[in-house]
Amino acid sequence: MSVDAATVKRIGRLARIRIEEDEVAGYQDELNAILGFVEQLAEANVEGVEPMTSVTPMQLRRRDDVVTDGGYPEQIVANAPLTEDNFFMVPKVVE
């Protein structure tokens, strides 16, 4: 997979990063190098390799999935700048 100049510009727009026209080629090369490395990783044989949480052997701490005290949504949203029906209201960030 390779990235073209239009894709670099689109990624920049989605990330809200200004990319000047003379920078597009550099970003294109960098993104293509990253994608090439990811493709190399996909070729690695990981058959029988267990997922790791750390490079040192350790056990994840687990807790029971239980319902904790609740029932006081008014107190939870009390300090929020804007709420409605005990929900936080935030500005729209997705176009």
Side-chain angles (χ1 to χ4, degrees), residues 1-3 8 11 26-42:
M1 175 181 197
S2 65
V3 175
V8 170
I11 291 169
Y27 284 122
Q28 184 176 353
D29 292 340
E30 287 183 32
L31 288 171
N32 284 327
I34 292 168
L35 291 174
F37 181 69
V38 170
E39 287 177 357
Q40 283 181 346
L41 291 176

Side-chain angles (χ1 to χ4, degrees), residues 45-61:
N45 181 12
V46 293
E47 188 69 32
V49 177
E50 293 292 323
M52 297 185 334
T53 57
S54 174
V55 294
T56 58
M58 60 187 296
Q59 191 77 310
L60 284 175
R61 295 185 197 128

Side-chain angles (χ1 to χ4, degrees), residues 18-88:
R18 181 186 304 136
I19 298 178
E20 301 296 335
E21 197 62 40
D22 59 336
E23 299 174 322
V24 171
Y27 284 122
Q28 184 176 353
D29 292 340
E30 287 183 32
L31 288 171
N32 284 327
I34 292 168
L35 291 174
F37 181 69
V38 170
E39 287 177 357
Q40 283 181 346
L41 291 176
E43 295 172 4
N45 181 12
V46 293
E47 188 69 32
V49 177
E50 293 292 323
M52 297 185 334
T53 57
S54 174
V55 294
T56 58
M58 60 187 296
Q59 191 77 310
L60 284 175
R61 295 185 197 128
R62 298 188 183 251
R63 62 175 172 80
D64 292 333
D65 189 14
V66 295
V67 177
T68 60
D69 64 335
Y72 45 89
E74 297 84 12
Q75 293 175 3
I76 293 172
V77 297
N79 291 327
L82 188 59
T83 63
E84 184 176 300
D85 295 329
N86 294 325
F87 290 100
F88 293 98

